[in-house]
Amino acid sequence: MLEMRPNCECCDKDLPPDSAEAMICTIECTYCAACASERLKGICPNCGGDLKPRPMRPARWLQKYPASTRRVHNPDCAA
Ligand SMILES: [Zn+2]
Ligand SMILES: [Zn+2]
């Protein structure tokens, strides 16, 4: 089950569970599409893995399996 973190780790932009902009790596470091492509060139600076679009979680699933509210923010995230 994905954590569905609520923000971009680089710029702290909000990334709700239905965001089409959220990008994640294999260990769920989470970034917005702009940071993922421009700042990070598609590679996660924490683990070196590639970044992929995060699947959206349908509303009825969110009731049962809520998205994470724990914000992770690392302003020095640039690769
Ligand atoms: Zn960002
Ligand atoms: Zn990572």
Side-chain angles (χ1 to χ4, degrees):
M1 181 68 66
L2 294 172
E3 257 185 71
M4 310 291 285
R5 293 180 188 169
N7 66 314
C8 171
E9 190 166 323
C10 266
C11 68
D12 206 28
K13 180 186 170 84
D14 286 335
L15 296 171
D18 62 351
S19 173
E21 277 192 79
M23 305 285 289
I24 59 172
C25 76
T26 188
I27 56 170
E28 273 194 80
C29 310
T30 304
Y31 306 97
C32 69
C35 289
S37 63
E38 287 158 33
R39 263 176 107 160
L40 307 175
K41 312 292 182 207
I43 301 295
C44 174
N46 298 332
C47 69
D50 58 336
L51 295 167
K52 295 281 192 245
R54 184 178 69 186
M56 294 181 198
R57 184 167 300 172
R60 65 192 170 85
W61 270 65
L62 279 170
Q63 290 173 8
K64 203 171 173 185
Y65 302 105
S68 170
T69 55
R70 190 176 63 90
R71 300 179 80 86
V72 178
H73 186 209
N74 173 15
D76 304 319
C77 72

